[in-house]
Amino acid sequence: MGTARKRFGSTFVSATALAVSLVLVAGCGSGDDGGKARTKDGKTVISLGLFGVMGYKETDLLDRYMKENPDVTIETDVAGDEQTYYTALQTHLAAGSGLKDIQGIEIGRAKELVDTQADKFADLGKTPGTDHFLPWKSSQVTTGDGKVIGLGTDIGPMAVCYRKDLFEQAGLPTDRAEVAKLWEGDWAKYVDVGRTFKQGTKNPKVAYMDTSTGLFNAMIYGEDKQFYDEDGKLIYQDNPVVKDAWKLASDAATSGLTAKLRQFQPGWDPGLANGTFATAVCPAWMLAHISEKAGPANKGKWDVAKAPKGANWGGSFLGVMEDSPVKKQAEKLVAWLTAPEQQAYIFEKLGNFPSSKTALDMPAVANGTSPYFSDAPIGQIFGAAAKEIPAKQVLGRKDGTIKDTFSLGLQLIEAQGKSPDAAWKTTDERIQKLTR
Amino acid sequence: MATSIDPRQSRRTILHRLDLGAVPYAFIAPFFLIFGAFGLYPLLYTFWISLHRVELSSLDTMEWRGLANFTELFEDDRFWNALSNTFTIGVLSTVPQLLMALGLAHLLNYRLRGSVFFRVAVLTPYATSVAAAALVFTMLFERDFGMINWVLGFFGVDNLDWESQKWPAQFAISTIVIWRWTGYNALLYLAAMQAIPRDLYEAAAIDGASRWQQFRTVTVPGISATIVFTIVLSTIGATQLFGEPLIFGQGPNGISGGADNQYQTLGLLLYEEGWKNYQMGRASAIAWAMFLILILVFVLQRVLARVLSRTPRPAKAPRRARPSRTS
Amino acid sequence: MTTDIAPVLADAHGRTTPTAPDRRSGFRRVLRPGAGRQHHAGPVAYVLLGFAALVSLFPLYWTMVAASTDNTRVSQTPPPFLPGPNLFKNLATAWQDAALGKAMLNSLIVAGVIALSTVFFATLAGFAFAKLRFKGRNILLLLVIGTMLVPPQLGVVPLFMMMADLGWGQSLPSVIFPTLVSAVGVFFMRQYLTEALPDELIEAGRLDGAHSLRIFWSIVLPIARPPMAVLFMITFVHAWNDFFWPFIALDMTNPTVPVALTQLSAGYVRDQSVIMAGALLGTLPLLAMFLVFGRQIVGGIMQGAVKG
């Protein structure tokens, strides 16, 4: 054992030496977070903090910008999950460190940031060439005194994505116009079609829709008020919009029409790939995810039909931090990324629907089709849905968290067999506590 | 100290005195300084914060609330639910873990071929981080395609929804804990077993005790101290359970511990209040509640240890003479 | 979990301490497996142990299998049992997508610095508590034990605020500093040195006119090397795997490995096989360490335990 111990000892010494040198390396490497502009290879670095599929990292847009502006290098960090992203953003804002030059803002958080953090964001209202947005989009990130803290990226007009092959099996029409006709004008009809589907389908393991939360979101976001009124007062308890949506969604959940999956969680993806459900209420930005996860094997099996009513779920903004050392360059980049041409380009590539009014009229958008979704004319379908979106949606501070709480509440019914009334009570209590 | 004092070296002697007097404090100072700054001070400050309303977005504005955070906490079903979950998951993970560790240690205590392999193998899960282990087990417990449901399918159990149902979820989370820590505890027991003097076994054997009786009357009492300590340790660990349920829930469900908070632990509740609802005062109140629980556990452990050490032992207690160095 | 307290708490209540290994053979005895008395194992024991080893190792094997397939295969039943062709592709994706390269370097720095500093300060304090005489020694030692009851997690809220104030938000110092010392380590070293370091050696050193620091450097350190190595490795493992505080203190742009892994799993567009590749990658360094030093680590844990 003597030799073993000696060898062990010397290994330890060399390990120590290695660790010490690492510390030194670390010491030299850190401390670049100061207020000065960072440069890399002589280029100005602009950093972006994003979440989900916003389309900048997924396409070649950033490369193109860097090519056109050789003095700029762009670094992106993309968080998968918006909740994680927003918590990090909150802590960074609180700590005053770790902020990127440009930060993405999800619509569910817009009001909270406008109300509590507007001074940390640069005013983009006067950035040249940014008067092309849908007016309601910009008003969502405008403070009381007229400061605009972000520029719109996309909006989330909604449709219904469905599997043609599964519809056929269940004896339903497969043509998207006929399908849309089945539920035209009323979400309740969409659920009724589900009952027909359930009776007709050969495979009892295939559900009609992925989850009832998609339906709930589509219904509430078709109206101008959801959880708050204009004065910031919570009205969800009495808002008929929320009540009706809850009722229909819980109805669908208790009728066994759903696959009891959670959107954007790991079990959902194989469901898309293996066809364990036939429809998903889909905002435009969900198309990229579906095509990616359902995979090439299912190309042409999916299609998109107009939703019963127009609605808007989600959509984002890009804001520039007031203290960014490269504020001017960042503003320029944001203006470029959200310009009509770029928005149209992302729509073509991924399906994220433009929030730029100018882009909506561009042929690439208006006549856009999706090869993956059986060449569906998604430009027309989502464009029509976008026109039905109420022009002024009232946002509230805790919109995002409240929406998540309702999702949890519907899960109580769907996956845990609670009665809709009990689930509503739980949800109500939770919202009261978190807004206290 | 018995050092000779030479008048010629009086200056050295002063230094020497200083050396003997001050240096010990200097040697232990780093520990206390760092602990004070990053352990004790935050703990006390947590209590101060818990008396206020503080939001994450405006950490420097503190609004005095007195004990309101605590009274609200004690009136909140979620707190009692989290406490109860922490307790049940704690029991579900600790009891089987320690029993299995005991059995494993007993097996490892045999004269074995390849004993190094077995020891390292059962310790390997300990090298896996909470995150990696939880990710893997989350996959294994997946409802639609997980391996565990696939196996259960052969026994007529169809697509058990581990995440949604309370007890399956708590069981699955406990499994992660058990997997990671059983081997470690087994090694602790093994070490204690190896310290039991052999003659105790021989004496028992002469008295006609079977192996099982030997295990019960010699082995278990011989390592009872270690057993008590592993219970305490597992309890401390269980009180703070966080990463396993967080990752097991995947996304928003992780923080709330399931749609019905069916596996939300105190650690998760703390995180939810602080980093999802952004209420640092309420989060601090939970932290202090956890601290009080730990103290309670500690006191209970002292009592338990006292009771155990008073129970009669075999004639020769497995203690060897050692230099007295009570602390 | 904080099971690393085991060796110490055990001894904190000296009354129940069953045994002390004799001064020189303590380490060797546990390093040499099967050193105890005992019967030979029968076939049943081997079968049971084989099963335990299988249960311990299978999830890791399956991680590798899942990491080598693709998203479609991994979500089919029956699940895959044999490796597929995509291991390196998925490893590369995980490496890039989750900033795992950076995470590994960060973890190496964090765990390395914490382990080094823990070992150093623990040896220093352990030596003082074991061999130096000073007023309040016993009370201070009790205090050290008491600190084990205060897991740093309970201070997360003010810690988080402190780090923001110090300008350390989301940077490595915020996870390194709170864990630079460990009571467990102090106790561990004290126990070893009490027994392994003969008083006569120190007396001899003093007679030669050596001051305490010199004695520490040239007498204590050489003798303390084996337990220092053990403490280093165990602390390293714990620091590498630490989760709660790093999860709160760091973010995805500058994570440690466990933090990066949660980011990997919380994604919109992640493949399960890529997540598994990330889990595998993040575990590999420690697995490698276990492969090389497994016997020493086992010995170290048991050495700590024997004292309980």
Side-chain angles (χ1 to χ4, degrees):
Chain A
M1 283 314 277
T3 49
R5 182 176 142 180
K6 206 178 217 164
R7 201 190 60 201
F8 185 36
S10 57
T11 320
F12 173 63
V13 170
S14 43
T16 310
L18 179 72
V20 170
S21 46
L22 276 173
V23 175
L24 294 176
V25 170
C28 303
S30 66
D32 55 1
D33 268 325
K36 271 192 255 155
R38 281 191 302 140
T39 52
K40 197 173 183 180
D41 307 328
K43 299 175 181 179
T44 309
V45 177
I46 306 179
S47 55
L48 266 95
L50 307 174
F51 53 85
V53 185
M54 295 181 76
Y56 304 119
K57 201 170 187 181
E58 291 78 8
T59 60
D60 58 347
L61 278 179
L62 295 177
D63 292 331
R64 246 166 60 196
Y65 188 82
M66 286 190 271
K67 207 174 254 172
E68 289 169 21
N69 300 270
D71 55 332
V72 166
T73 293
I74 303 171
E75 287 176 356
T76 8
D77 273 301
V78 183
D81 171 45
E82 201 274 334
Q83 167 71 45
T84 316
Y85 167 84
Y86 187 65
T87 298
L89 178 60
Q90 279 279 345
T91 60
H92 293 166
L93 286 166
S97 68
L99 288 165
K100 307 290 173 198
D101 301 312
I102 297 169
Q103 297 275 181
I105 302 168
E106 213 267 341
I107 186 173
R109 319 290 186 178
K111 179 72 173 162
E112 187 162 50
L113 291 177
V114 164
D115 280 0
T116 63
Q117 306 280 5
D119 54 327
K120 306 244 170 77
F121 286 89
D123 188 357
L124 300 175
K126 294 179 186 65
T127 315
T130 54
D131 48 0
H132 54 83
F133 291 98
L134 292 165
W136 58 266
K137 182 78 175 172
S138 299
S139 74
Q140 289 175 335
V141 282
T142 306
T143 65
D145 48 7
K147 182 175 181 178
V148 180
I149 67 164
L151 295 180
T153 60
D154 64 331
I155 59 176
M158 302 183 81
V160 178
C161 295
Y162 67 102
R163 286 271 299 235
K164 286 191 296 186
D165 53 336
L166 298 177
F167 264 45
E168 188 170 11
Q169 253 184 37
L172 289 166
T174 57
D175 177 73
R176 66 182 76 90
E178 287 176 50
V179 169
K181 203 146 215 140
L182 290 177
W183 52 57
E184 194 172 12
D186 190 352
W187 280 104
K189 287 194 205 163
Y190 166 73
V191 176
D192 289 340
V193 174
R195 295 185 218 277
T196 320
F197 177 89
K198 200 182 168 196
Q199 279 163 11
T201 185
K202 309 274 183 305
N203 185 348
K205 283 201 161 174
V206 175
Y208 176 60
M209 61 178 109
D210 51 349
T211 162
S212 54
T213 56
L215 174 61
F216 179 80
N217 289 335
M219 286 183 72
I220 60 170
Y221 289 122
E223 308 293 334
D224 55 353
K225 280 181 218 161
Q226 289 86 37
F227 310 131
Y228 290 85
D229 68 7
E230 292 88 340
D231 305 327
K233 205 175 130 253
L234 278 169
I235 54 161
Y236 71 92
Q237 284 169 320
D238 304 310
N239 187 353
V241 173
V242 176
K243 288 239 154 184
D244 291 351
W246 176 269
K247 189 165 178 314
L248 190 62
S250 55
D251 204 23
T254 48
S255 314
L257 298 181
T258 71
K260 303 176 183 180
L261 293 168
R262 290 186 280 140
Q263 290 185 331
F264 303 108
Q265 301 311 326
W268 193 53
D269 297 342
L272 289 166
N274 303 338
T276 55
F277 52 87
T279 67
V281 180
C282 53
W285 45 263
M286 200 187 274
L287 297 191
H289 187 98
I290 294 179
S291 55
E292 158 100 21
K293 288 305 173 189
N298 291 311
K299 187 177 174 181
K301 288 184 185 163
W302 285 91
D303 206 329
V304 185
K306 195 172 171 304
K309 283 183 82 178
N312 180 66
W313 174 15
S316 303
F317 304 85
L318 291 178
V320 174
M321 304 318 297
E322 180 68 36
D323 289 338
S324 160
V326 290
K327 195 170 115 183
K328 284 284 159 259
Q329 289 101 314
E331 285 175 2
K332 192 179 151 210
L333 173 59
V334 166
W336 187 84
L337 287 173
T338 56
E341 296 76 24
Q342 277 62 254
Q343 292 210 19
Y345 183 75
I346 292 178
F347 172 75
E348 270 185 87
K349 291 282 174 193
L350 300 170
N352 295 11
F353 204 74
S355 62
S356 158
K357 209 165 167 241
T358 317
L360 291 181
D361 298 329
M362 296 170 99
V365 176
N367 305 329
T369 59
S370 165
Y372 189 89
F373 289 85
S374 312
D375 293 317
I378 54 174
Q380 278 176 26
I381 294 173
F382 288 114
K387 291 211 178 76
E388 292 178 26
I389 297 173
K392 177 149 177 55
Q393 266 186 347
V394 178
L395 300 184
R397 273 187 70 170
K398 297 284 179 191
D399 272 346
T401 318
I402 296 176
K403 178 177 70 77
D404 289 348
T405 309
F406 270 108
S407 299
L408 282 184
L410 287 167
Q411 269 186 58
L412 286 176
I413 305 171
E414 199 168 285
Q416 308 197 321
K418 293 225 168 179
S419 77
D421 287 344
W424 172 273
K425 193 166 163 278
T426 309
T427 307
D428 186 27
E429 279 169 10
R430 284 176 180 164
I431 295 174
Q432 289 300 322
K433 273 170 196 158
L434 76 91
T435 52
R436 188 166 54 197
Chain B
M1 303 224 58
T3 37
S4 57
I5 297 167
D6 187 329
R8 285 172 301 172
Q9 295 184 327
S10 63
R11 194 172 147 263
R12 264 188 95 167
T13 310
I14 293 169
L15 277 180
H16 183 68
R17 284 249 175 89
L18 189 67
D19 182 31
L20 286 181
V23 160
Y25 296 107
F27 277 12
I28 60 170
F31 174 84
F32 284 103
L33 285 179
I34 296 177
F35 173 77
F38 296 101
L40 188 62
Y41 167 72
L43 184 77
L44 299 178
Y45 196 38
T46 301
F47 184 68
W48 181 244
I49 296 172
S50 72
L51 303 176
H52 294 80
R53 179 189 176 93
V54 189
E55 290 199 42
L56 180 63
S57 54
S58 49
L59 286 178
D60 29 11
T61 2
M62 291 171 77
E63 182 193 318
W64 177 259
R65 297 199 77 204
L67 290 172
N69 282 327
F70 285 96
T71 49
E72 274 176 20
L73 186 67
F74 294 139
E75 282 163 12
D76 194 339
D77 297 343
R78 290 179 311 160
F79 172 72
W80 299 107
N81 173 60
L83 184 62
S84 133
N85 286 341
T86 308
F87 178 76
T88 49
I89 298 178
V91 171
L92 275 176
S93 56
T94 305
V95 173
Q97 179 194 148
L98 297 183
L99 287 178
M100 275 158 41
L102 198 58
L104 201 54
H106 183 69
L107 291 173
L108 287 169
N109 201 20
Y110 282 119
R111 208 175 280 270
L112 282 171
R113 274 173 208 282
S115 66
V116 174
F117 165 77
F118 286 123
R119 288 177 192 192
V120 175
V122 298
L123 190 64
T124 311
Y126 167 76
T128 318
S129 68
V130 171
L135 285 176
V136 176
F137 276 87
T138 304
M139 282 278 274
L140 293 173
F141 279 110
E142 222 283 336
R143 183 190 70 184
D144 292 335
F145 57 86
M147 184 175 294
I148 291 170
N149 270 355
W150 175 71
V151 172
L152 286 179
F154 294 115
F155 300 97
V157 182
D158 238 8
N159 280 23
L160 190 52
D161 195 346
W162 293 93
E163 199 272 338
S164 293
Q165 309 299 322
K166 178 171 180 174
W167 295 111
Q170 297 202 354
F171 176 82
I173 291 162
S174 303
T175 308
I176 306 172
V177 180
I178 293 171
W179 181 72
R180 283 188 70 223
W181 290 102
T182 300
Y184 182 87
N185 284 309
L187 289 184
L188 298 188
Y189 291 156
L190 175 61
M193 284 178 187
Q194 293 191 337
I196 299 174
R198 187 175 182 168
D199 47 355
L200 285 182
Y201 287 94
E202 281 161 3
I206 291 169
D207 291 346
S210 71
R211 284 215 191 162
W212 170 241
Q213 281 166 330
Q214 287 180 31
F215 180 75
R216 265 181 39 214
T217 57
V218 181
T219 310
V220 173
I223 64 169
S224 65
T226 310
I227 292 177
V228 172
F229 300 129
T230 51
I231 292 173
V232 178
L233 296 171
S234 310
T235 313
I236 292 180
T239 316
Q240 298 163 50
L241 191 69
F242 175 74
E244 288 91 345
L246 178 85
I247 294 169
F248 179 74
Q250 301 176 339
N253 271 33
I255 299 171
S256 60
D260 201 17
N261 310 118
Q262 66 267 28
Y263 52 91
Q264 183 170 50
T265 60
L266 286 171
L268 283 176
L269 184 64
L270 189 161
Y271 184 77
E272 184 178 33
E273 286 290 21
W275 281 269
K276 190 180 171 207
N277 298 340
Y278 312 124
Q279 295 293 345
M280 301 318 240
R282 270 142 65 178
S284 298
I286 298 168
W288 255 78
M290 285 168 77
F291 180 56
L292 295 180
I293 292 167
L294 273 183
I295 290 183
L296 195 71
V297 167
F298 181 71
V299 171
L300 281 179
Q301 179 269 334
R302 293 298 299 232
V303 173
L304 189 68
R306 195 153 295 170
V307 170
L308 273 190
S309 67
R310 273 188 197 152
T311 52
R313 294 200 180 192
K316 273 178 272 178
R319 263 182 250 179
R320 271 186 219 155
R322 64 186 304 188
S324 75
R325 47 185 180 81
T326 40
S327 26
Chain C
M1 310 248 308
T2 50
T3 310
D4 58 342
I5 301 178
V8 189
L9 266 191
D11 212 85
H13 319 281
R15 179 183 65 254
T16 43
T17 306
T19 182
D22 75 86
R23 183 170 292 171
R24 268 158 307 151
S25 68
F27 257 77
R28 295 193 203 165
R29 194 165 54 80
V30 288
L31 289 181
R32 187 156 40 88
R37 27 121 230 132
Q38 267 304 357
H39 315 281
H40 283 277
V44 178
Y46 278 104
V47 169
L48 289 173
L49 279 171
F51 182 72
L54 185 74
V55 170
S56 299
L57 298 177
F58 179 76
L60 293 167
Y61 168 75
W62 193 78
T63 309
M64 194 271 287
V65 171
S68 66
T69 57
D70 58 45
N71 215 29
T72 321
R73 180 67 193 95
V74 87
S75 61
Q76 278 166 354
T77 45
F81 283 96
L82 294 174
N86 294 330
L87 181 60
F88 292 101
K89 195 179 124 221
N90 288 333
L91 287 177
T93 313
W95 180 271
Q96 286 164 0
D97 280 14
L100 265 177
K102 189 168 191 188
M104 290 234 222
L105 183 65
N106 280 345
S107 278
L108 204 62
I109 294 168
V110 168
V113 172
I114 289 176
L116 269 184
S117 119
T118 300
V119 167
F120 180 74
F121 290 130
T123 313
L124 211 55
F127 166 58
F129 279 124
K131 294 292 168 182
L132 300 181
R133 256 154 258 177
F134 53 96
K135 249 191 213 135
R137 183 170 83 161
N138 288 347
I139 289 180
L140 286 170
L141 189 61
L142 263 182
L143 259 178
V144 172
I145 298 162
T147 64
M148 281 181 260
L149 264 183
V150 186
Q153 286 94 316
L154 296 192
V156 281
V157 174
L159 266 183
F160 181 80
M161 295 171 158
M162 273 166 76
M163 295 309 168
D165 283 346
L166 287 166
W168 290 349
Q170 294 81 45
S171 68
L172 298 187
S174 67
V175 290
I176 292 176
F177 274 86
T179 22
L180 273 182
V181 294
S182 111
V184 183
V186 173
F187 219 94
F188 180 73
M189 292 312 296
R190 176 204 175 257
Q191 297 309 90
Y192 182 88
L193 289 174
T194 305
E195 283 153 24
L197 181 64
D199 288 331
E200 307 85 59
L201 265 183
I202 300 175
E203 290 306 315
R206 293 229 187 269
L207 283 178
D208 287 347
H211 50 84
S212 298
L213 206 61
R214 169 138 211 116
I215 290 175
F216 177 72
W217 195 256
S218 45
I219 300 177
V220 178
L221 277 188
I223 286 183
R225 224 187 252 171
M228 284 170 80
V230 164
L231 185 61
F232 181 90
M233 286 190 293
I234 291 177
T235 314
F236 190 91
V237 171
H238 278 272
W240 181 282
N241 287 338
D242 196 15
F243 184 69
F244 188 43
W245 171 239
F247 178 72
I248 287 172
L250 300 178
D251 68 7
M252 55 167 180
T253 59
N254 193 28
T256 57
V257 168
V259 177
L261 288 182
T262 51
Q263 293 299 342
L264 194 63
S265 70
Y268 276 124
V269 209
R270 308 288 189 215
D271 280 351
Q272 286 294 316
S273 50
V274 173
I275 295 174
M276 289 298 107
L280 183 65
L281 215 52
T283 313
L284 275 182
L286 289 196
L287 283 185
M289 189 167 139
F290 264 56
L291 216 60
V292 180
F293 293 121
R295 153 193 294 245
Q296 281 84 353
I297 294 172
V298 166
I301 289 171
M302 290 178 61
Q303 169 67 8
V306 166
K307 314 215 151 224

